[in-house]
Structures are given as structure tokens and as C-alpha cells.
């Protein structure tokens, strides 16, 4: 039986009605079945919306399925490079797991590029190839010559530089000098102008007070080359006393030093020196103390050759020095020459020295060395007033270490044995232990502690002794306050035990200093020194208090 179609006509008829027909409103809305990929029409935007203002311009949203397919397609596109090669650096690729990826085989190291040879040096060298020098006027340590301290300080026994001067301590400097650039040279210039006040200018048991004006220039011209080196230096100290001009200071020292670098590991050196020092009751060397102020002229030439074998360095050095004592107006008649010989000329002599040194560098901060030296002194007048022949031969053997354990602690220490023997058997030899040191400890950039030791075999003109070993020790402390004010203090002790005689001379010194730096070029200073000289001959004892006030100008 065929179904009745009359019942369905009202429904078909209702589909053709308008949406707002009363017949259609009362019926529940038909449910639309969603098919995969089907899209619904976008809802009209709200009034005032920031988006598109018309339905035709709005981009329809993607379905979840379409979004997943687009993400997979984009991932595949990223896995293929522009050259058509599959890219393994994609997320989720097991090849990217470091635990599953074997390490690539190590490639052989390429040979290092050869180091270009250094320039020949001289006026053509540029600043880029120059040696290391201070370029900033920051805090540092300045040498007595007015140049910055580079590396560890050196201990010297003054064997090849026998000027009767005490070793000078370094200075804690808030403005380390950088020098004036003159082409490929650096010029360090410094001048001290001041006054000296003393309560015992003659150095006698009965004190005599006096004051003096002082002028002390210092010039150093130093090359700034990669290879070779040249240095010219001049220093002087001149003072004028008011009441006792016989005690005026008249000292100077000039030197020319050159180094020729033949190869990387070989060099030749030549030094020419000329200086004038003075001896007297206030002489800086105990064995040079005399009753009258006497000038000593010194002229010398020094040559050296050095070669380095990997870590081992050999150095041979020789020097010839001539000493001439100024005439005091007195003389002694020589019947052999039938003439009057000035008394001071009897002390004139020439000294020849030869030294061999071997050093081994364990690392740039530690070097050990051994050195041996032979010397000979020949007097112009072989027979002294007392009939004793003063000519003598000597030797010294030293072993030491140069170290820089840190930026705060560095120095040089050596010790050994020295001996000087007269060719006259009636005169006893000078012999004993030698100790030389210069150690700097800088716990902070504003604190400097320095220890200096020197042992020197020195001959003298005593009637019954050839001389003594002059031993000097000093400990000093310098502290910068607010960086521009440097305070210092020191204590020193010196002893000379003469050979073959019971005479022993000793000197104790202490003092304090203060220096205020206005700028890198000018400062004012004041120094106080107390000296106490005492001997087993009590008639020679004396004390002295000395004050120095002045201004230091440098460039």
C-alpha cells in the first residue's frame, strides 16, 4: 500500500514559507549536520568593532582540522631548504638528540702561522711595536731615577758601579710618570728645589748648625724601540751652605747606555759613565769617612755580551773604572821621583773587573742565577805613606733568585762570599759573607713596604787595614692617604768591620717623610732624618738631625 502523501504536504509547504511565518516560528528549528571542513558564515561585526566593518572584507576563521593540516604542511616545508636538502634541525627529530648523535671525528690541528720577525728597531719603529711603557698617569712605583718600575726590582752589589752612594728606595707615586714623547724616545725630567736644615753640618762631636739651598735636576732619555736600546741619563745634586761652604754638595752622574740586539737571543751592551761624589764626615759610605771634604772623580767603561739558550741565559761583563781623588792642597815629597806628590793622589787607582753570570728561568715569575767575579785594583802610587803596597786582587761568588710571586710581592735576593787580598803579605785580606736584596711588598695599591740590603767589599786608606765589607740594611714603609698625600718612614743600619783591626764603624738612621701631589707635574715634600754614627773610637761619635723641605717638578 502506498503511503499517504497528504500528511507530508503541510511540512513541504512549511519549508516554502517565509522564516517569520507564524507557522514556522512555533516549530523547533531544524538541526544542521556539520561535515568535516564545513565553514559557518561569519557573524556580522558589532557596531564600533576594531575589526572589518563588512562581512565581505573579514577573513573567515579556519576550523581545527584545517589548522592542524596547515601546521603539518608548514612543518614539512621548513624541513626542506631552498636547495632541496632535507633539514634535520626540526622539532621532534631524533637526529637532534645529543645522546643519540655520535661525536664527529677530531680534525688534525692546522699549523700555526709563522711569527713575523721583529723590525730592525730605530727611528723607523712605530708606537705599535714599541716596548711596554706606562701610558697612563695612574698609581704605581717610581724608580730613584724618575722612571716607572717595570718588572721585579733588582738587587745590586754595586761591584761594577762603585760610586760611594747608598742604595735609594723606590717611591709610591700616585701619578706614575709617562715621559714626554720625542719621536721614538721618551724623556723623563725631574727637578727638586728646596732647603736643608741641619744641627751638625760638620759631623763632629761638637755640633754646628747651618742651612743650605738645594737644587737637584734629573734627566733620563730612553728609547722606545722594539729592538735595540739606548739610554742617556744625567743627575746632579748641588747645595750651598750659609756658614760652612766647605760642606757644599757637588755631585753628579752622567751615563750613556746602549744595547745592540744581534739576534733574538743574543745582544751586546756598552756603557760609558762619568760621575763625581764626595766623602767626608757625612759620607754616605762608612769607609769613605775622612776629616776633610774630598771630591772623587769616576770614569768608567762597561761592556757585556748576553746569549739565551731556551731557558738558560749566559752573560759575560767587564768593566774598567778609574778613580781620582781631588787635591786638598797638601803633598808628600817622593825622593824617587824628586817631586811633591799630592796627598790625595796617593789614593788614585784603577779597578778592572770581569763577571760571568748564568740564569735559568723556570717561568716568567721565577728565575735563579749564579755569578762569579774577579777584580784587580792598581794604585797610581804603589807604595802608600806607611810603606804598604795597596794593590790587591779580589773575587766574589753569588747565588740568587729573582721572583714575582704575585703583583704584590716581587724582588731579587742573592748571597755568597767575597774576598779582597793585597799583594803585600803583611796586610790581612778582606773576606766575609755577602747579602744583597731588594724586595717590594705592596699589599694594597696605596701601601708599599720595601727591604733593601747591600754588601760591598770596599778598600780604604787606613794605615793598618786594607778595608772592610760595608753592609747596609733598610726597611721602609710608604702609605698613601687620599691617594694624593704619601707618608713614609724608614729605619736603616750600616756596619763596617775592618779587616785585621779591631775598628768597627756603625751608623743608625731613621726618619719620616710626607709628600703632597697637586697634579702629575708638581708636588711638595718634607723629610726628616736622624743619624747616629758610633765607633769603638768614641772620639769619632756624633749625631745629626736633618730636615729637607722643597718642591718637586717633573714632566
Amino acid at each position: 500500500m502506498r503511503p499517504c502523501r497528504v500528511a507530508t504536504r503541510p511540512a513541504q509547504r512549511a519549508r516554502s514559507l517565509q522564516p517569520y511565518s507564524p507557522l514556522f516560528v512555533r516549530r523547533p528549528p531544524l538541526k544542521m549536520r556539520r561535515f568535516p571542513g564545513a565553514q559557518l558564515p561569519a557573524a556580522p561585526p558589532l557596531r564600533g568593532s576594531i575589526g572589518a566593518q563588512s562581512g565581505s572584507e573579514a577573513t573567515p576563521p579556519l576550523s581545527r582540522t584545517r589548522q592542524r593540516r596547515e601546521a603539518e604542511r608548514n612543518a614539512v616545508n621548513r624541513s626542506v631548504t631552498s636547495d632541496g636538502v632535507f633539514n634535520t634541525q626540526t622539532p621532534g627529530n631524533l637526529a637532534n638528540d645529543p645522546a643519540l648523535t655520535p661525536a664527529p671525528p677530531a680534525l688534525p690541528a692546522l699549523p700555526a702561522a709563522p711569527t713575523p720577525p721583529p723590525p730592525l728597531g730605530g727611528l723607523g719603529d712605530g708606537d705599535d711595536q714599541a716596548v711596554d711603557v706606562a701610558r697612563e698617569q695612574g698609581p704605581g712605583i717610581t724608580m730613584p731615577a724618575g722612571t716607572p718600575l717595570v718588572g721585579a726590582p733588582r738587587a745590586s752589589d754595586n761591584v761594577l758601579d762603585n760610586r760611594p752612594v747608598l742604595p735609594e728606595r723606590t717611591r709610591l707615586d700616585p701619578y706614575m710618570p709617562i715621559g714626554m714623547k720625542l719621536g721614538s724616545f721618551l724623556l723623563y725630567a725631574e727637578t727638586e728645589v728646596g732647603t736643608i736644615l741641619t744641627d751638625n753640618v760638620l759631623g763632629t762631636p761638637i755640633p754646628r748648625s747651618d742651612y743650605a739651598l738645594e737644587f737637584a735636576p734629573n734627566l733620563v732619555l730612553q728609547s722606545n724601540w722594539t729592538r735595540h736600546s739606548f739610554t742617556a741619563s744625567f743627575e746632579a745634586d748641588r747645595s750651598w751652605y750659609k756658614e760652612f761652604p766647605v760642606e757644599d754638595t757637588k755631585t753628579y752622574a752622567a751615563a750613556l747606555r746602549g744595547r745592540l740586539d744581534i739576534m733574538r737571543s743574543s745582544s751586546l751592551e756598552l756603557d760609558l759613565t762619568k760621575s763625581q761624589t764626595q766623602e767626608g764626615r757625612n759620607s754616605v759610605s762608612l769607609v769613605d769617612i775622612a776629616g776633610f771634604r774630598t771630591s772623587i772623580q769616576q770614569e768608567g767603561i762597561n761592556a757585556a755580551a748576553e746569549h739565551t739558550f731556551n731557558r738558560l741565559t749566559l752573560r759575560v761583563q767587564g768593566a774598567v773604572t778609574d778613580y781620582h781623588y781631588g787635591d786638598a792642597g797638601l803633598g808628600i815629597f817622593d825622593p824617587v821621583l824628586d817631586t811633591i806628590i799630592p796627598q790625595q793622589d796617593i789614593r788614585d787607582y784603577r779597578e778592572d773587573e770581569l763577571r760571568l753570570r748564568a740564569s735559568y728561568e723556570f717561568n716568567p715569575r721565577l728565575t735563579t742565577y749564579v755569578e762569579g767575579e774577579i777584580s784587580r785594583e792598581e794604585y797610581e802610587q804603589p807604595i802608600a805613606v806607611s810603606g804598604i803596597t795597596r794593590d790587591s786582587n779580589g773575587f766574589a761568588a753569588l747565588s740568587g733568585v729573582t721572583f714575582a710571586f704575585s703583583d704584590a710581592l716581587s724582588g731579587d735576593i742573592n748571597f755568597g762570599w767575597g774576598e779582597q787580598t793585597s799583594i803585600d803579605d803583611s796586610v790581612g785580606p778582606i773576606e766575609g759573607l755577602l747579602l744583597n736584596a731588594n724586595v717590594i711588598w705592596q699589599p694594597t695599591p696605596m701601601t708599599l713596604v720595601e727591604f733593601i740590603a747591600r754588601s760591598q767589599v770596599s778598600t780604604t786608606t787606613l794605615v793598618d787595614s786594607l778595608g772592610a765589607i760595608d753592609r747596609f740594611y733598610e726597611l721602609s714603609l710608604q702609605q698613601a692617604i687620599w691617594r694624593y698625600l704619601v707618608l713614609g718612614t724608614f729605619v736603616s743600619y750600616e756596619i763596617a768591620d775592618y779587616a785585621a783591626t779591631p775598628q768597627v764603624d756603625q751608623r743608625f738612621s731613621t726618619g719620616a717623610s710626607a709628600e703632597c701631589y697637586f697634579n702629575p707635574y708638581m708636588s711638595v715634600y718634607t723629610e726628616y732624618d736622624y743619624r747616629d754614627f758610633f765607633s769603638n773610637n768614641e772620639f769619632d761619635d756624633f749625631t745629626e738631625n736633618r730636615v729637607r723641605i722643597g718642591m718637586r717638578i717633573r714632566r
Side-chain angles (χ1 to χ4, degrees):
M1 181 175 179
R2 297 180 61 183
C4 181
R5 300 178 60 90
V6 178
T8 60
R9 287 179 182 176
Q12 295 176 355
R13 190 175 183 179
R15 295 190 187 103
S16 62
L17 297 177
Q18 296 295 329
Y20 297 101
S21 173
L23 297 177
F24 182 78
V25 173
R26 295 178 180 178
R27 299 174 63 92
L30 297 177
K31 295 182 179 180
M32 298 182 62
R33 183 180 180 183
R34 296 184 178 179
F35 296 93
Q39 299 182 6
L40 296 177
L46 300 176
R47 184 179 299 273
S49 174
I50 301 178
Q53 299 299 323
S54 62
S56 59
E57 298 178 0
T59 303
L62 299 179
S63 63
R64 294 182 180 179
T65 303
R66 184 66 177 272
Q67 293 176 3
R68 184 177 67 255
R69 291 179 179 178
E70 291 293 336
E72 294 176 355
R73 185 181 299 108
N74 294 336
V76 174
N77 293 337
R78 288 193 300 267
S79 301
V80 180
T81 62
S82 59
D83 299 334
V85 181
F86 184 74
N87 183 13
T88 60
Q89 304 299 329
T90 57
N93 193 347
L94 294 179
N96 298 331
D97 191 352
L100 302 178
T101 304
L107 298 177
L110 297 177
T115 303
L120 295 179
L123 297 179
D125 285 348
D127 292 340
D128 294 340
Q129 300 293 336
V131 297
D132 294 336
V133 294
R135 291 299 183 186
E136 297 181 359
Q137 289 182 324
I141 301 177
T142 303
M143 298 292 292
T147 58
L149 174 64
V150 179
R154 299 291 180 177
S156 175
D157 55 0
N158 278 342
V159 174
L160 298 189
D161 188 10
N162 280 332
R163 291 194 302 143
V165 295
L166 295 177
E168 300 181 70
R169 69 187 74 96
T170 58
R171 297 201 309 261
L172 185 62
D173 199 335
Y175 298 104
M176 193 164 55
I178 61 176
M180 293 184 295
K181 187 176 181 182
L182 301 177
S184 58
F185 289 84
L186 293 176
L187 176 63
Y188 299 90
E190 184 177 290
T191 301
E192 294 183 11
V193 180
T195 183
I196 302 175
L197 307 174
T198 175
D199 64 350
N200 195 351
V201 62
L202 298 177
T204 57
I206 302 177
R208 296 290 189 275
S209 301
D210 201 356
Y211 68 93
L213 299 179
E214 184 181 26
F215 176 71
N218 189 355
L219 298 174
V220 177
L221 181 65
Q222 182 178 356
S223 64
N224 191 24
W225 307 334
T226 303
R227 296 187 61 188
H228 317 309
S229 174
F230 176 79
T231 303
S233 62
F234 175 80
E235 60 176 320
D237 190 359
R238 186 71 168 93
S239 64
W240 298 268
Y241 280 93
K242 174 66 175 178
E243 302 294 338
F244 298 92
V246 68
E247 294 296 325
D248 291 352
T249 303
K250 304 173 184 178
T251 63
Y252 69 87
L256 297 176
R257 296 182 173 87
R259 188 191 75 241
L260 178 64
D261 296 331
I262 302 176
M263 298 184 298
R264 281 181 176 270
S265 56
S266 301
S267 63
L268 298 176
E269 299 179 12
L270 181 65
D271 298 352
L272 301 175
T273 60
K274 181 176 177 58
S275 64
Q276 174 178 295
T277 56
Q278 292 176 298
E279 66 172 18
R281 294 295 297 167
N282 285 320
S283 176
V284 293
S285 178
L286 288 181
V287 296
D288 290 317
I289 288 181
F292 299 95
R293 192 76 159 174
T294 306
S295 299
I296 307 173
Q297 297 283 342
Q298 173 186 342
E299 298 176 355
I301 180 172
N302 184 357
E306 184 175 290
H307 184 74
T308 301
F309 304 89
N310 196 4
R311 294 178 179 269
L312 178 64
T313 301
L314 298 180
R315 179 183 178 88
V316 58
Q317 185 176 7
V320 178
T321 310
D322 182 74
Y323 299 90
H324 178 74
Y325 288 76
D327 298 335
L330 303 177
I332 299 175
F333 179 76
D334 190 343
V336 177
L337 301 177
D338 193 18
T339 184
I340 296 179
I341 301 176
Q343 185 175 0
Q344 300 300 328
D345 285 352
I346 300 177
R347 304 174 61 184
D348 295 348
Y349 68 96
R350 188 191 71 185
E351 184 176 18
D352 303 329
E353 299 165 283
L354 180 64
R355 175 187 295 180
L356 179 63
R357 177 187 177 113
S359 59
Y360 185 84
E361 183 183 82
F362 291 96
N363 54 63
R365 290 182 173 269
L366 181 62
T367 301
T368 61
Y369 59 88
V370 294
E371 65 182 33
E373 176 209 342
I374 57 176
S375 63
R376 178 176 177 82
E377 293 183 359
E378 294 184 358
Y379 283 78
E380 293 185 6
Q381 301 296 327
I383 305 298
V385 179
S386 58
I388 299 176
T389 301
R390 291 292 181 180
D391 293 350
S392 61
N393 301 317
F395 74 91
L398 297 171
S399 177
V401 57
T402 301
F403 60 89
F405 295 137
S406 65
D407 295 337
L409 181 61
S410 61
D412 186 8
I413 302 176
N414 63 60
F415 65 93
W417 180 268
E419 184 174 330
Q420 192 80 14
T421 305
S422 175
I423 62 176
D424 192 338
D425 295 337
S426 62
V427 180
I430 309 171
E431 57 184 3
L433 294 174
L434 304 177
L435 172 62
N436 304 283
N438 192 344
V439 180
I440 291 179
W441 179 44
Q442 199 170 9
T444 67
M446 303 180 69
T447 305
L448 175 63
V449 180
E450 184 175 13
F451 172 73
I452 299 176
R454 186 204 64 179
S455 301
Q456 180 177 350
V457 179
S458 302
T459 58
T460 185
T461 56
L462 291 178
V463 175
D464 52 355
S465 177
L466 182 63
I469 297 182
D470 188 0
R471 296 182 173 90
F472 172 83
Y473 310 97
E474 180 183 84
L475 180 63
S476 62
L477 169 65
Q478 299 180 52
Q479 177 66 45
I481 308 296
W482 307 307
R483 177 181 175 182
Y484 308 108
L485 178 61
V486 180
L487 304 180
T489 183
F490 76 95
V491 57
S492 65
Y493 174 73
E494 188 177 5
I495 180 173
D497 188 358
Y498 292 86
T501 63
Q503 182 171 348
V504 178
D505 293 339
Q506 303 177 69
R507 179 164 50 191
F508 171 79
S509 300
T510 185
S513 63
E515 185 166 5
C516 180
Y517 292 81
F518 297 105
N519 51 55
Y521 313 110
M522 186 176 67
S523 64
V524 294
Y525 64 87
T526 178
E527 299 176 357
Y528 167 74
D529 295 344
Y530 170 78
R531 300 178 183 179
D532 185 4
F533 175 83
F534 51 98
S535 173
N536 50 8
N537 183 5
E538 59 183 13
F539 296 101
D540 293 335
D541 297 352
F542 70 92
T543 61
E544 180 188 9
N545 294 275
R546 173 176 296 192
V547 177
R548 296 177 67 243
I549 302 174
M551 177 176 58
R552 180 179 288 112
I553 302 174
R554 62 182 181 179
R555 180 62 179 173

